[in-house]
Amino acid sequence: MSTLLEVKNLKTSFFTHLGEIQAVRGASFTLNQGEVLGIVGESGSGKSVTALSVMGLIEEPGKIKEGEILFEGQDLTRYSNSQMSELRGNEISMIFQDPMTSLNPVYTIQNQMVEVLRRHQKIGKAEARKRAIEMLRLVGIPEPEKRIKNYPHEFSGGMRQRVMIANALSCGPKLLIADEPTTALDVTIQAQILDLMNELKERINAAIILITHDLGVIAEVCDHIVVMYGGSIMETGTEKDIFYNPQHPYTNGLHKSIPKMTTEQKSRLIPIRGTPPDLLHPPAGCPFSARCPHTMAVCLEDAPPTYGISDTQTSACWLMDEKAPKVDNYVSGGKGIE
Amino acid sequence: MDASQFTFVDHSTLDEAEPARQSLTYWQDAWRRLKKHKPAMAGLVGVIIVILFGFVAPLFTSVSYSDQTIDYSNLPPRLTIYEIADDYYVFLTKDYKLLRVSGRGHILGRLDRIEQDAVNKLYTYSDGNLDVVLDFGYNLLPGKMDSPFDYSFTVDGPEVTSPAKKVFNKTYPAGSDSLGRNLLVRVMYGARISLTVAFVASIVNLLIGVAYGSLAAYEGGRTDIIMMRIVDILNSIPLVLYVILIMVLVGNRGLWTMIIALGSVYWVVMARLVRGQVLSLKEQEFILAARALGVHRRNIIFRHLVPNAIGPIIVSMTMMIPAAVFTESFISFIGLGVSAPMASWGTLANNALTGLLSYPYQLFFPSLAIAFTMLSFNMLGDGLRDALDPRLRKG
Amino acid sequence: MASYFLRRFLYSILTIFLIATVTFFMMHSIPGGPFTRERPVPDEIMRVLNEKYNLDAPLYEQYYDYMKGLITFDFGPSFSKIGTSVNDLISSGFPRTAKVGALACLLIVAVGIPIGIISALKQNRPIDYTVMFMATLGVTIPSFVLATIIIFFFAGKLGWIPSFGLETWRSYLGPVLALSGYSLSFVARLTRSSMLEVLRQDYVRTARANGLKELSVIGKHAVKNAIIPVITYMGPTVAAIMTGSFVIERIFAIPGIGRYFVESVSNRDYTTIMAITVLYASFYVIMVLLVDVAYALVDPRIRFEKETH
């Protein structure tokens, strides 16, 4: 499989009147064609900013300070806004968290979909409409010929997210970025949308970046997972690596804070204590050091390098250093994060 | 790297003190946010200045708004004075009255015109022991064209043709009007009238609006529908027209007529607002939750209902006051305001209209007062809206 | 949707009817008649006058006649300008008032909205600060002050425009500018804040994420949403323009109905006061109705709500 997207040492900051907020502090990952990459992290971890950086949608006062975003070998950070807009919705598409507000309320679905299709492809109105209807049918909108004439407020939340997906996929993008696509939806609808994405993954042959704060969502769809915290990447690996052999204390903490079917009734969920670091004044060392159960002196002073665990897994934690003391297996035992 | 670096540290020794956020009451929080809002604070200072100007400053003046001195009519705030004798300054008005002025700008008295030669444009004035001859024929009479000056004064020595200096009018700092009344004092009393009308009318509006709106929301059903229909109809009427009609109808133009006219018409907006607030709050889940938790009724009202409803009401009050000032000045301007010799800012502006080209300062001061008041209240209102909306609470 | 508009239309008719009634009874409850002067008029003349203007008939009869007149657009004779009917006054004054008012409305929309949009797009840049400074000034200066300032500088000091009448195109500049100043500033501020709000919306980000050109993102997706609150404001703006014409026409000496109204108020010319009040109010009610229609056309959500409830 060939590489579709390669992000190298991406640093994105927002220059507010309070000072520089370092939202992304050196993120690197790769994505192969047709693959699904999950980016997981809590709010403020920099996952959405990473996605918006790829889209070239970082707005004032934000700026990509450093790094490269190679899409099919081309560095997108060097693209002008008009070059990027040729790409957006065409080669790279994005859908957002809240389908209730992501469609323009004053235009019909047809109007909005036809506009995107005609922006990127040399086709007439009738042809664009036909394709839009096909896309709506593909994402499971019943009676698409009729529904396409409706306004967004005439759809339910789940249906709107389907419309968003149809719109994003209408030009056959090579990459789809889904930023918390299910967070704003009811649980049953969430499952439907995830099923839809799983199904589409097979049919459309696009690579997908799925951004979420919910490990459960990631497990169902992703080939590869990136765990972000405090603007940095903590751990990367395959679904198996992350779920069955997590190496980073933060990933471990995430696991412990999720209820599981297998959890004994009386055992408690263990939350990660404390709050995420202030990205206005990020800590000198590891961003997780203040909340980590295994903080060492070095963690407070220097940011950890990225250690390769296996061909597929990496972890940015000083515990991986050969000089570091060994600690227990994280998932099943240990003292947890307190 | 040193192996000692790889030893665990105890979290309790780390400086992990989370910035504990003080818990603030609604008003503390609102005040804190208002203080941060610079334009709002500027607006607040402006409002205080206007109130002091209208209600406190008149206590320190010896003249009344109705005192008139015809001799001193239409005097500008800046005087161009001539020194016709040693330390003897005079000011010539546009209607050729000669006033004795001190070197620092105090008006001392008027010189009588004892002789006038209209053909040669020579006037003679006297204060009893000193006679002055004014020649204003320059640039008017054929023989005296292209002169660098317009007036000359002769006492009994050389002609004085150029002004000694320009001084601020100390007796009438904002000038005087056509009846020789002190404009500064009149603007002060105008502030008193305009603000009284605006405040009282807004309070009347508030009371009617709150009563009407909450009754409609409380009763609900058919009563609510009928009451709101009435509001809808009133709302689709140009209300200024009705203020005018009421002013015509009542005839007697006192302060209270204006207050009644403004108060009886503009409560519609408030009634709608209050009804909306009460209706939505009644249904809110946090009220239900508070009740389910057994919170005392008094606490539900004062900790939950009031803070949520009062913000928009106060903001709307702050916005209503400048609107009332505006309307009042407008009504006064078309001649339906409080009757003379009282005058609001609108009346003052209206009075200035006739002599506008000669005496523009007479318009300037009342207009400035209106604009300053409007600006202050608007800025304060904007800030209050940000500060009092609990939904915006952050940072 | 048609039923919604029909209902709104019927309410408007009802409103106009109520306005006419209230105005009639307000005018007739004034103590003394329209011919009560400081110096008493001889009884004989009073009787003749009252008979001529039908003032001695019972109130309900007068009311009936008045309403009948309204439906046929006959407002009766003027009380103070003997020999002229109110219809004459209106037909001579209304076109002038309407022309100035329409130009002012045009200016408000054509200038206020674009500068509000530009200001929002250039937020916190010098052009934004300049526009907002001017607009803030504009909403704090009453129209009569603005008008006198214009007269003072442009007619008096500079002599660029005539200070009275409506003879040349130049003479429109002063009144139109003075009349639109407040609302123009208000619309600019409103458009700016509404635009800033809309630019933060998710659907604008979606439009960008779909690669639409910036012109389409702003011109199509943002603007249509941003002008919705501006449309709501345009109804009351018409009222501001109309009442503004009372003073503007006085200051610029334009013989329009605004000036007639102010004159009739000081002359106690009741028929003229009533006629102009009813005329203005009806005009206003119709404008509010039109705004509602425009609102429903622009915002499909309103259409939906109104239909369902």
Side-chain angles (χ1 to χ4, degrees), chain B residues 174-190:
Chain B
S176 64
D177 68 3
S178 58
L179 293 174
R181 292 179 293 206
N182 191 322
L183 262 181
L184 182 68
V185 175
R186 282 179 75 71
V187 174
M188 281 180 197
Y189 277 89

mmCIF file with all atom_site columns, all heavy atoms in Angstrom, chain B residues 174-190:
data_model
loop_
_atom_site.group_PDB
_atom_site.id
_atom_site.type_symbol
_atom_site.label_atom_id
_atom_site.label_alt_id
_atom_site.label_comp_id
_atom_site.label_asym_id
_atom_site.label_entity_id
_atom_site.label_seq_id
_atom_site.pdbx_PDB_ins_code
_atom_site.Cartn_x
_atom_site.Cartn_y
_atom_site.Cartn_z
_atom_site.occupancy
_atom_site.B_iso_or_equiv
_atom_site.pdbx_formal_charge
_atom_site.auth_seq_id
_atom_site.auth_comp_id
_atom_site.auth_asym_id
_atom_site.auth_atom_id
_atom_site.pdbx_PDB_model_num
ATOM 1   N N   . ALA B 1 174 ? -21.079 78.415 28.297 1.00 0.00 ? 174 ALA B N   1
ATOM 2   C CA  . ALA B 1 174 ? -21.586 77.781 27.079 1.00 0.00 ? 174 ALA B CA  1
ATOM 3   C C   . ALA B 1 174 ? -22.347 78.806 26.244 1.00 0.00 ? 174 ALA B C   1
ATOM 4   O O   . ALA B 1 174 ? -23.142 78.455 25.388 1.00 0.00 ? 174 ALA B O   1
ATOM 5   C CB  . ALA B 1 174 ? -22.482 76.602 27.421 1.00 0.00 ? 174 ALA B CB  1
ATOM 6   N N   . GLY B 1 175 ? -22.124 80.064 26.513 1.00 0.00 ? 175 GLY B N   1
ATOM 7   C CA  . GLY B 1 175 ? -22.818 81.106 25.783 1.00 0.00 ? 175 GLY B CA  1
ATOM 8   C C   . GLY B 1 175 ? -24.178 81.403 26.398 1.00 0.00 ? 175 GLY B C   1
ATOM 9   O O   . GLY B 1 175 ? -24.574 80.796 27.387 1.00 0.00 ? 175 GLY B O   1
ATOM 10  N N   . SER B 1 176 ? -24.869 82.339 25.763 1.00 0.00 ? 176 SER B N   1
ATOM 11  C CA  . SER B 1 176 ? -26.215 82.659 26.237 1.00 0.00 ? 176 SER B CA  1
ATOM 12  C C   . SER B 1 176 ? -27.173 82.568 25.064 1.00 0.00 ? 176 SER B C   1
ATOM 13  O O   . SER B 1 176 ? -26.773 82.606 23.905 1.00 0.00 ? 176 SER B O   1
ATOM 14  C CB  . SER B 1 176 ? -26.241 84.067 26.845 1.00 0.00 ? 176 SER B CB  1
ATOM 15  O OG  . SER B 1 176 ? -25.953 85.012 25.836 1.00 0.00 ? 176 SER B OG  1
ATOM 16  N N   . ASP B 1 177 ? -28.469 82.417 25.386 1.00 0.00 ? 177 ASP B N   1
ATOM 17  C CA  . ASP B 1 177 ? -29.430 82.279 24.297 1.00 0.00 ? 177 ASP B CA  1
ATOM 18  C C   . ASP B 1 177 ? -30.021 83.632 23.919 1.00 0.00 ? 177 ASP B C   1
ATOM 19  O O   . ASP B 1 177 ? -29.566 84.680 24.391 1.00 0.00 ? 177 ASP B O   1
ATOM 20  C CB  . ASP B 1 177 ? -30.504 81.253 24.666 1.00 0.00 ? 177 ASP B CB  1
ATOM 21  C CG  . ASP B 1 177 ? -31.407 81.732 25.786 1.00 0.00 ? 177 ASP B CG  1
ATOM 22  O OD1 . ASP B 1 177 ? -31.245 82.883 26.237 1.00 0.00 ? 177 ASP B OD1 1
ATOM 23  O OD2 . ASP B 1 177 ? -32.272 80.945 26.207 1.00 0.00 ? 177 ASP B OD2 1
ATOM 24  N N   . SER B 1 178 ? -31.049 83.621 23.099 1.00 0.00 ? 178 SER B N   1
ATOM 25  C CA  . SER B 1 178 ? -31.556 84.865 22.544 1.00 0.00 ? 178 SER B CA  1
ATOM 26  C C   . SER B 1 178 ? -32.216 85.745 23.607 1.00 0.00 ? 178 SER B C   1
ATOM 27  O O   . SER B 1 178 ? -32.459 86.920 23.374 1.00 0.00 ? 178 SER B O   1
ATOM 28  C CB  . SER B 1 178 ? -32.556 84.566 21.433 1.00 0.00 ? 178 SER B CB  1
ATOM 29  O OG  . SER B 1 178 ? -33.592 83.772 21.955 1.00 0.00 ? 178 SER B OG  1
ATOM 30  N N   . LEU B 1 179 ? -32.504 85.168 24.764 1.00 0.00 ? 179 LEU B N   1
ATOM 31  C CA  . LEU B 1 179 ? -33.065 85.985 25.840 1.00 0.00 ? 179 LEU B CA  1
ATOM 32  C C   . LEU B 1 179 ? -32.017 86.281 26.901 1.00 0.00 ? 179 LEU B C   1
ATOM 33  O O   . LEU B 1 179 ? -32.332 86.766 27.981 1.00 0.00 ? 179 LEU B O   1
ATOM 34  C CB  . LEU B 1 179 ? -34.269 85.270 26.478 1.00 0.00 ? 179 LEU B CB  1
ATOM 35  C CG  . LEU B 1 179 ? -35.489 85.108 25.579 1.00 0.00 ? 179 LEU B CG  1
ATOM 36  C CD1 . LEU B 1 179 ? -36.555 84.277 26.262 1.00 0.00 ? 179 LEU B CD1 1
ATOM 37  C CD2 . LEU B 1 179 ? -36.050 86.477 25.208 1.00 0.00 ? 179 LEU B CD2 1
ATOM 38  N N   . GLY B 1 180 ? -30.782 85.953 26.612 1.00 0.00 ? 180 GLY B N   1
ATOM 39  C CA  . GLY B 1 180 ? -29.726 86.213 27.568 1.00 0.00 ? 180 GLY B CA  1
ATOM 40  C C   . GLY B 1 180 ? -29.737 85.276 28.752 1.00 0.00 ? 180 GLY B C   1
ATOM 41  O O   . GLY B 1 180 ? -29.347 85.641 29.851 1.00 0.00 ? 180 GLY B O   1
ATOM 42  N N   . ARG B 1 181 ? -30.207 84.053 28.541 1.00 0.00 ? 181 ARG B N   1
ATOM 43  C CA  . ARG B 1 181 ? -30.183 83.075 29.620 1.00 0.00 ? 181 ARG B CA  1
ATOM 44  C C   . ARG B 1 181 ? -28.914 82.247 29.516 1.00 0.00 ? 181 ARG B C   1
ATOM 45  O O   . ARG B 1 181 ? -28.406 82.006 28.414 1.00 0.00 ? 181 ARG B O   1
ATOM 46  C CB  . ARG B 1 181 ? -31.419 82.168 29.553 1.00 0.00 ? 181 ARG B CB  1
ATOM 47  C CG  . ARG B 1 181 ? -32.690 82.912 29.873 1.00 0.00 ? 181 ARG B CG  1
ATOM 48  C CD  . ARG B 1 181 ? -33.897 82.020 29.787 1.00 0.00 ? 181 ARG B CD  1
ATOM 49  N NE  . ARG B 1 181 ? -34.152 81.599 28.424 1.00 0.00 ? 181 ARG B NE  1
ATOM 50  C CZ  . ARG B 1 181 ? -35.364 81.246 27.983 1.00 0.00 ? 181 ARG B CZ  1
ATOM 51  N NH1 . ARG B 1 181 ? -36.393 81.256 28.796 1.00 0.00 ? 181 ARG B NH1 1
ATOM 52  N NH2 . ARG B 1 181 ? -35.533 80.858 26.735 1.00 0.00 ? 181 ARG B NH2 1
ATOM 53  N N   . ASN B 1 182 ? -28.446 81.826 30.662 1.00 0.00 ? 182 ASN B N   1
ATOM 54  C CA  . ASN B 1 182 ? -27.194 81.077 30.716 1.00 0.00 ? 182 ASN B CA  1
ATOM 55  C C   . ASN B 1 182 ? -27.401 79.678 30.139 1.00 0.00 ? 182 ASN B C   1
ATOM 56  O O   . ASN B 1 182 ? -28.107 78.855 30.710 1.00 0.00 ? 182 ASN B O   1
ATOM 57  C CB  . ASN B 1 182 ? -26.736 80.989 32.170 1.00 0.00 ? 182 ASN B CB  1
ATOM 58  C CG  . ASN B 1 182 ? -25.326 80.462 32.283 1.00 0.00 ? 182 ASN B CG  1
ATOM 59  O OD1 . ASN B 1 182 ? -24.932 79.571 31.546 1.00 0.00 ? 182 ASN B OD1 1
ATOM 60  N ND2 . ASN B 1 182 ? -24.563 81.033 33.193 1.00 0.00 ? 182 ASN B ND2 1
ATOM 61  N N   . LEU B 1 183 ? -26.758 79.418 29.005 1.00 0.00 ? 183 LEU B N   1
ATOM 62  C CA  . LEU B 1 183 ? -26.992 78.140 28.309 1.00 0.00 ? 183 LEU B CA  1
ATOM 63  C C   . LEU B 1 183 ? -26.461 76.952 29.102 1.00 0.00 ? 183 LEU B C   1
ATOM 64  O O   . LEU B 1 183 ? -27.062 75.882 29.097 1.00 0.00 ? 183 LEU B O   1
ATOM 65  C CB  . LEU B 1 183 ? -26.347 78.164 26.931 1.00 0.00 ? 183 LEU B CB  1
ATOM 66  C CG  . LEU B 1 183 ? -27.293 78.490 25.778 1.00 0.00 ? 183 LEU B CG  1
ATOM 67  C CD1 . LEU B 1 183 ? -26.532 78.465 24.474 1.00 0.00 ? 183 LEU B CD1 1
ATOM 68  C CD2 . LEU B 1 183 ? -28.428 77.468 25.716 1.00 0.00 ? 183 LEU B CD2 1
ATOM 69  N N   . LEU B 1 184 ? -25.335 77.148 29.778 1.00 0.00 ? 184 LEU B N   1
ATOM 70  C CA  . LEU B 1 184 ? -24.774 76.034 30.539 1.00 0.00 ? 184 LEU B CA  1
ATOM 71  C C   . LEU B 1 184 ? -25.776 75.585 31.598 1.00 0.00 ? 184 LEU B C   1
ATOM 72  O O   . LEU B 1 184 ? -26.057 74.389 31.748 1.00 0.00 ? 184 LEU B O   1
ATOM 73  C CB  . LEU B 1 184 ? -23.457 76.451 31.192 1.00 0.00 ? 184 LEU B CB  1
ATOM 74  C CG  . LEU B 1 184 ? -22.770 75.328 31.974 1.00 0.00 ? 184 LEU B CG  1
ATOM 75  C CD1 . LEU B 1 184 ? -22.265 74.254 31.042 1.00 0.00 ? 184 LEU B CD1 1
ATOM 76  C CD2 . LEU B 1 184 ? -21.619 75.866 32.812 1.00 0.00 ? 184 LEU B CD2 1
ATOM 77  N N   . VAL B 1 185 ? -26.340 76.565 32.288 1.00 0.00 ? 185 VAL B N   1
ATOM 78  C CA  . VAL B 1 185 ? -27.319 76.233 33.321 1.00 0.00 ? 185 VAL B CA  1
ATOM 79  C C   . VAL B 1 185 ? -28.552 75.606 32.684 1.00 0.00 ? 185 VAL B C   1
ATOM 80  O O   . VAL B 1 185 ? -29.122 74.641 33.203 1.00 0.00 ? 185 VAL B O   1
ATOM 81  C CB  . VAL B 1 185 ? -27.682 77.504 34.128 1.00 0.00 ? 185 VAL B CB  1
ATOM 82  C CG1 . VAL B 1 185 ? -28.799 77.205 35.120 1.00 0.00 ? 185 VAL B CG1 1
ATOM 83  C CG2 . VAL B 1 185 ? -26.466 78.031 34.844 1.00 0.00 ? 185 VAL B CG2 1
ATOM 84  N N   . ARG B 1 186 ? -28.924 76.111 31.529 1.00 0.00 ? 186 ARG B N   1
ATOM 85  C CA  . ARG B 1 186 ? -30.098 75.545 30.868 1.00 0.00 ? 186 ARG B CA  1
ATOM 86  C C   . ARG B 1 186 ? -29.851 74.106 30.410 1.00 0.00 ? 186 ARG B C   1
ATOM 87  O O   . ARG B 1 186 ? -30.743 73.262 30.473 1.00 0.00 ? 186 ARG B O   1
ATOM 88  C CB  . ARG B 1 186 ? -30.520 76.430 29.694 1.00 0.00 ? 186 ARG B CB  1
ATOM 89  C CG  . ARG B 1 186 ? -31.285 77.655 30.172 1.00 0.00 ? 186 ARG B CG  1
ATOM 90  C CD  . ARG B 1 186 ? -31.685 78.567 29.046 1.00 0.00 ? 186 ARG B CD  1
ATOM 91  N NE  . ARG B 1 186 ? -32.803 78.090 28.226 1.00 0.00 ? 186 ARG B NE  1
ATOM 92  C CZ  . ARG B 1 186 ? -34.060 78.045 28.629 1.00 0.00 ? 186 ARG B CZ  1
ATOM 93  N NH1 . ARG B 1 186 ? -34.372 78.416 29.845 1.00 0.00 ? 186 ARG B NH1 1
ATOM 94  N NH2 . ARG B 1 186 ? -35.002 77.620 27.827 1.00 0.00 ? 186 ARG B NH2 1
ATOM 95  N N   . VAL B 1 187 ? -28.630 73.853 29.940 1.00 0.00 ? 187 VAL B N   1
ATOM 96  C CA  . VAL B 1 187 ? -28.305 72.477 29.548 1.00 0.00 ? 187 VAL B CA  1
ATOM 97  C C   . VAL B 1 187 ? -28.326 71.570 30.781 1.00 0.00 ? 187 VAL B C   1
ATOM 98  O O   . VAL B 1 187 ? -28.787 70.435 30.734 1.00 0.00 ? 187 VAL B O   1
ATOM 99  C CB  . VAL B 1 187 ? -26.957 72.408 28.804 1.00 0.00 ? 187 VAL B CB  1
ATOM 100 C CG1 . VAL B 1 187 ? -26.559 70.957 28.536 1.00 0.00 ? 187 VAL B CG1 1
ATOM 101 C CG2 . VAL B 1 187 ? -27.033 73.149 27.480 1.00 0.00 ? 187 VAL B CG2 1
ATOM 102 N N   . MET B 1 188 ? -27.857 72.101 31.927 1.00 0.00 ? 188 MET B N   1
ATOM 103 C CA  . MET B 1 188 ? -27.899 71.316 33.172 1.00 0.00 ? 188 MET B CA  1
ATOM 104 C C   . MET B 1 188 ? -29.343 70.977 33.537 1.00 0.00 ? 188 MET B C   1
ATOM 105 O O   . MET B 1 188 ? -29.670 69.828 33.826 1.00 0.00 ? 188 MET B O   1
ATOM 106 C CB  . MET B 1 188 ? -27.312 72.126 34.329 1.00 0.00 ? 188 MET B CB  1
ATOM 107 C CG  . MET B 1 188 ? -25.818 72.174 34.382 1.00 0.00 ? 188 MET B CG  1
ATOM 108 S SD  . MET B 1 188 ? -25.368 73.183 35.817 1.00 0.00 ? 188 MET B SD  1
ATOM 109 C CE  . MET B 1 188 ? -23.682 73.548 35.442 1.00 0.00 ? 188 MET B CE  1
ATOM 110 N N   . TYR B 1 189 ? -30.187 72.000 33.545 1.00 0.00 ? 189 TYR B N   1
ATOM 111 C CA  . TYR B 1 189 ? -31.588 71.739 33.877 1.00 0.00 ? 189 TYR B CA  1
ATOM 112 C C   . TYR B 1 189 ? -32.248 70.875 32.802 1.00 0.00 ? 189 TYR B C   1
ATOM 113 O O   . TYR B 1 189 ? -33.128 70.070 33.101 1.00 0.00 ? 189 TYR B O   1
ATOM 114 C CB  . TYR B 1 189 ? -32.350 73.058 34.072 1.00 0.00 ? 189 TYR B CB  1
ATOM 115 C CG  . TYR B 1 189 ? -32.156 73.609 35.458 1.00 0.00 ? 189 TYR B CG  1
ATOM 116 C CD1 . TYR B 1 189 ? -31.095 74.451 35.735 1.00 0.00 ? 189 TYR B CD1 1
ATOM 117 C CD2 . TYR B 1 189 ? -33.012 73.248 36.487 1.00 0.00 ? 189 TYR B CD2 1
ATOM 118 C CE1 . TYR B 1 189 ? -30.887 74.952 37.001 1.00 0.00 ? 189 TYR B CE1 1
ATOM 119 C CE2 . TYR B 1 189 ? -32.825 73.740 37.761 1.00 0.00 ? 189 TYR B CE2 1
ATOM 120 C CZ  . TYR B 1 189 ? -31.757 74.593 38.025 1.00 0.00 ? 189 TYR B CZ  1
ATOM 121 O OH  . TYR B 1 189 ? -31.562 75.058 39.291 1.00 0.00 ? 189 TYR B OH  1
ATOM 122 N N   . GLY B 1 190 ? -31.790 71.044 31.567 1.00 0.00 ? 190 GLY B N   1
ATOM 123 C CA  . GLY B 1 190 ? -32.276 70.186 30.478 1.00 0.00 ? 190 GLY B CA  1
ATOM 124 C C   . GLY B 1 190 ? -31.940 68.734 30.773 1.00 0.00 ? 190 GLY B C   1
ATOM 125 O O   . GLY B 1 190 ? -32.762 67.835 30.575 1.00 0.00 ? 190 GLY B O   1
#
